[in-house]
Amino acid sequence: MQEISLLNSVVGPVMRGPSSSHCAAPYMMGRLARSLSTSQGEVIETADIRFDPRGSFAPVYQAQSSDENFAAGLAGASLTDPDFREILGRASAGEGFTFSVTITELQRNNHPNRVDMVISVRAKDGSLRQDVYQGASIGGGMFYIDRMNGEDVYLTGKTAVLYVYADDVKSVQNRIADLAATDNRLLGQDVMTVPAEGGIALERLEISLQRVPAPDVVRDIVALAGIKRVLVADAAQYPVCAGDDLFSTTQGVLDKVSSHNGSLAHTALALEAQRLGLSTEETRLLFIERAELMLRVVEEGFSAREQDSVMRFLTLKARKVRDANLPAGLGGAVLQDAIAGALSAMERDSNRGLVVAAPTAGSAGVVPGTLYGLVRHGIDIEGAADALQVMALIGAVFAARGTFAAECGGCSVETGASAAMAAGGVVQAFGGSAEQCFDAASMCLMNTLGLVCDPVGGDVEIPCHARNVAGVSHAYSSAMAVMAGFDAVLGFDELVDQTVKIGSMMHADLRCTARGGCAATKTAHKLVEQVTAGIPAATQTGIS
C-alpha cells in the first residue's frame, strides 16, 4: 500500500521548528499517542520520551526542538497555539503533566530516528496504567508507530483510526462497522487477534476512517456487549483514502499525462485527488491555499525583527538580500528575489515559526523561495499553484523510491530533492513539457549526489540556510539549461536510486549528527563554544 500524499508528505507538513524529521513527526506522534491514551477520558500524568544514544535524536533533540514538539503534541496543543513554545517548560516543571527525556538503549533500533514514548495515564476510576508506544520518524514529517503496549501495529496518522478490543469482536464486527460508518466514510478494516494479560485472547478490530466518529457513536460502540476497550485517534494530516501505487516511476507518471491534456500539473492534481478521496476542485483549493501559505511565510520572514530572533549563530539577512542593489549583470531580479525568499522562509523556520516542510524543514526555503521569485515577476497564484503541483509530483516519485530523512541520506535527500522539485516547477511555470520538468529535476540530483548533512551545533542554520540559497539557484539554473536545450541524459529514477545508495554508504557522522563536515570545522567548534558561553550571534567571531 502506497500512502504518499503530495500535500501531506511532499509539500507538507505544516509545522513548527527547523526539522521535519525532528519536529513535525514528533508533534504528530505525540498527538496520536495522546488521542489513543485518553480515548476514554483518561488524563496523562507523565510522559517520558526515550532516544537511543546511537540514534540521531539524542545529540540534537534540544537544538532542533524535538522535545518542544513531543511535549506540545502530548499536551494536545495546536500548531497555532500562541503558547506553543512555552509548553515544554511547563510540562518539564510538572504543570499539567510531567515531561522528561531519557537517553537509553532502545530494544527496537532499526532506524536512526527511533523513539519510545512511555506514558502513565490516570483512568476515570482513579487507576493508573502505563502505555508504551514505539516508532520512528522516517523523513519529511512522515512517521510510523509499529508497537503499542506490546502489540504489533502500524499507525502512520494517514487516516483516523478506531481500535476496538473484545473477547469475540467478530460477533459484533458488522454492528461496529455500521455504527462507525453512520457519519464517516469507511476506508478499510482488518481484524487481528493479540494475546492479552493472563493469556486471555482479545480480538482487536481496526477501522480506518476519514475522520473520528462523533462522541455519541463512540459511546454506542463502547456500550456494545463484550467490548472491553475502545481507542480512537484522528488523522494527523489529510486522510489518505486510496493506497494505489501512483508515484513509483517517472514513466508511470508520464504515461498518465496524455489523459490530462498533456499537463503534468493536471496529472498531479488528479493523482492527489485520488489519493485523498476528494474532487479535483477541492484538491485544487488545497494547493492554492498551500501556495498562499508558503508566500505568507516568506512575507512574515521579511517583517521579522532581530530582537525577536532565537537563532544561535545567524542574524536576519533575508530582507537585506532582497533589497540589496547588486552590480549590473550579476544574477537577476528573479533569482535575487527567490534567494531572499528562501532565506526568509528558513529564518522563520529557525525561529520556530509556522512553516511548510517542502519536503523537509531543513529544505523549507527552496520551494517557497522559488515560488516567491515567480510571483514577484509575472506568475499569478494560479500559475504558482500549477508549479507547486508539479514540484510535489516530482517529490512524490523521489519519496516512493527513497527517503527525505537526512539521517539516512544526507542533505542530498533534503536540499537535493527540494532543488529537483523546484526545478520542475520553474519549467512548468514557463511552459516547458512534462519530460523537461523531470529532466531539470534529474540535473539537480546529478549535482547533489553525496551531499552531506552537517548542521553546526545541531541547529538548522549553518550550512542549511546557505544550502537553501544554493538549492534555489540550482533549480533556476537547471530549468534554464533544460529549456535552452541541455539534456541531462540520466533518468530521474536512476538518480534517485543512486542518491539513496550513496546516502547509505556515507559515514554516520555525515548524516545529520553534527559530528562531521561543516560541523567539524574549527570555526564551528568555536561558534558552539561561544553560544554555550552565552555570546550573542551578532558578536560571534570565528577563528582561523
Coordinates of all heavy atoms in Angstrom, one line a residue, residues 17 36 47 58 60 63 69 115 125 137 174 182 189 209 243 259 320 337 371 381 398 403 407 416 460 473 476 493 535:
G17 N 9.4 24.5 13.7 CA 10.7 24.0 14.1 C 11.5 23.8 12.8 O 11.1 23.9 11.7
L36 N -5.0 8.3 21.6 CA -5.2 6.9 21.9 C -5.3 6.7 23.4 O -6.2 6.0 23.9 CB -4.1 6.0 21.2 CG -4.1 6.0 19.7 CD1 -2.9 5.3 19.2 CD2 -5.4 5.3 19.2
A47 N 5.0 11.7 30.9 CA 5.4 11.2 29.6 C 6.9 11.2 29.5 O 7.5 12.3 29.8 CB 4.8 12.1 28.5
A58 N 19.2 11.8 19.8 CA 19.9 12.1 21.1 C 20.8 13.3 21.0 O 20.8 14.1 21.9 CB 20.7 10.8 21.5
V60 N 20.7 16.0 19.1 CA 20.2 17.2 18.5 C 18.7 17.5 19.0 O 18.2 18.5 18.6 CB 20.2 17.2 17.0 CG1 21.6 17.1 16.5 CG2 19.3 16.1 16.4
A63 N 18.5 21.2 20.4 CA 18.8 22.2 19.4 C 17.7 22.3 18.3 O 17.4 23.3 17.8 CB 20.1 22.0 18.8
N69 N 8.2 19.7 20.5 CA 7.2 19.2 19.7 C 6.5 18.0 20.3 O 5.3 17.8 20.2 CB 7.7 18.9 18.3 CG 7.7 20.2 17.4 OD1 6.7 20.5 16.8 ND2 8.8 20.9 17.4
V115 N 12.1 6.1 18.4 CA 11.8 6.7 19.7 C 10.8 5.8 20.4 O 10.0 5.1 19.8 CB 11.1 8.1 19.5 CG1 9.9 8.0 18.6 CG2 10.8 8.8 20.8
D125 N -11.6 6.0 36.8 CA -11.8 5.3 38.1 C -10.7 5.5 39.1 O -10.7 4.9 40.2 CB -12.1 3.8 37.9 CG -10.9 3.1 37.3 OD1 -9.9 3.7 37.1 OD2 -11.1 1.9 37.0
S137 N 10.4 8.3 13.2 CA 10.2 9.4 12.2 C 11.1 9.0 11.0 O 12.2 8.6 11.1 CB 10.8 10.7 12.8 OG 10.9 11.7 11.7
N174 N -19.8 -6.5 12.4 CA -20.7 -5.7 11.5 C -21.4 -4.6 12.2 O -21.6 -3.5 11.6 CB -21.7 -6.7 10.9 CG -21.0 -7.7 9.9 OD1 -20.0 -7.4 9.4 ND2 -21.7 -8.8 9.7
T182 N -21.8 5.6 10.3 CA -23.0 6.4 10.3 C -22.7 7.9 9.9 O -23.5 8.6 9.4 CB -23.7 6.4 11.6 OG1 -22.8 6.7 12.7 CG2 -24.3 5.0 11.9
Q189 N -10.9 -2.1 6.8 CA -10.9 -2.7 8.1 C -10.2 -4.0 8.1 O -10.0 -4.6 7.1 CB -12.4 -2.9 8.6 CG -13.2 -3.9 7.8 CD -14.6 -3.9 8.4 OE1 -15.3 -2.9 8.5 NE2 -15.1 -5.1 8.7
L209 N -10.7 5.4 9.1 CA -11.8 6.4 8.7 C -11.3 7.7 8.2 O -10.1 8.0 8.5 CB -12.7 6.6 10.0 CG -13.3 5.4 10.7 CD1 -13.6 5.7 12.1 CD2 -14.5 5.0 9.9
G243 N -4.8 3.6 -1.6 CA -3.4 3.1 -1.4 C -2.8 2.6 -2.7 O -1.8 1.9 -2.7
S259 N -3.6 11.7 -20.6 CA -5.0 11.6 -20.1 C -5.4 13.0 -19.5 O -6.6 13.1 -19.1 CB -5.2 10.5 -19.1 OG -4.9 9.3 -19.7
K320 N 17.6 42.2 3.8 CA 18.8 42.8 3.3 C 19.1 42.3 1.9 O 19.5 43.1 1.0 CB 20.0 42.7 4.2 CG 21.2 43.3 3.8 CD 22.3 43.2 4.8 CE 23.6 43.9 4.4 NZ 24.7 43.8 5.4
D337 N 15.3 37.7 -5.8 CA 14.1 37.6 -5.0 C 13.8 36.2 -4.5 O 13.4 36.0 -3.4 CB 12.8 38.1 -5.8 CG 12.7 39.6 -5.9 OD1 13.2 40.3 -5.0 OD2 12.1 40.1 -6.8
L371 N 8.9 29.9 -5.5 CA 7.5 30.4 -5.8 C 7.5 32.0 -5.7 O 6.9 32.7 -6.5 CB 6.5 29.8 -4.9 CG 6.2 28.3 -5.1 CD1 5.1 27.9 -4.1 CD2 5.7 28.1 -6.5
I381 N -1.1 33.5 -8.9 CA -1.3 32.5 -8.0 C -1.7 31.2 -8.6 O -1.4 30.1 -8.1 CB -2.3 32.9 -6.8 CG1 -2.2 31.9 -5.7 CG2 -3.7 33.0 -7.3 CD1 -0.8 31.8 -5.0
F398 N 10.3 10.8 -5.9 CA 11.5 10.7 -5.1 C 11.2 9.9 -3.8 O 11.9 9.0 -3.5 CB 12.1 12.1 -4.8 CG 13.5 12.1 -4.1 CD1 14.6 12.4 -4.8 CD2 13.6 11.7 -2.8 CE1 15.8 12.4 -4.2 CE2 14.8 11.7 -2.2 CZ 16.0 12.0 -2.9
T403 N 13.9 8.4 0.4 CA 13.6 8.9 1.7 C 13.9 10.4 1.7 O 14.8 10.8 1.0 CB 14.3 8.2 2.8 OG1 14.1 8.8 4.0 CG2 15.9 8.2 2.6
E407 N 19.0 11.8 8.0 CA 19.7 10.8 8.9 C 20.0 9.5 8.1 O 20.9 8.7 8.5 CB 18.8 10.4 10.0 CG 18.5 11.6 10.9 CD 17.3 12.5 10.4 OE1 16.7 12.1 9.4 OE2 17.1 13.6 11.0
G416 N 18.8 18.6 -2.0 CA 18.9 18.0 -3.3 C 17.6 17.7 -3.9 O 17.3 18.0 -5.0
V460 N 19.6 24.0 12.6 CA 19.4 24.1 11.1 C 19.6 25.5 10.7 O 18.7 26.3 10.4 CB 18.0 23.6 10.7 CG1 17.7 23.7 9.2 CG2 17.8 22.2 11.2
S473 N 19.1 28.5 -6.5 CA 19.9 28.9 -7.6 C 20.0 27.7 -8.6 O 20.0 27.8 -9.8 CB 21.3 29.3 -7.2 OG 21.2 30.3 -6.2
Y476 N 16.7 27.1 -10.6 CA 16.6 28.1 -11.7 C 17.6 27.8 -12.8 O 17.2 27.8 -14.0 CB 16.7 29.5 -11.3 CG 15.4 30.1 -10.8 CD1 15.1 30.1 -9.4 CD2 14.5 30.7 -11.6 CE1 13.9 30.6 -8.9 CE2 13.3 31.2 -11.2 CZ 13.0 31.2 -9.8 OH 11.8 31.7 -9.3
D493 N 14.6 8.5 -12.2 CA 14.6 7.3 -11.3 C 15.9 6.8 -10.9 O 16.2 6.4 -9.8 CB 13.7 6.2 -12.0 CG 12.3 6.6 -12.1 OD1 11.9 7.7 -11.7 OD2 11.5 5.8 -12.7
I535 N 27.4 34.1 24.3 CA 27.7 35.2 23.5 C 26.7 35.4 22.4 O 26.5 34.4 21.6 CB 29.2 35.1 22.9 CG1 30.2 34.9 24.0 CG2 29.5 36.2 22.0 CD1 31.6 34.6 23.5

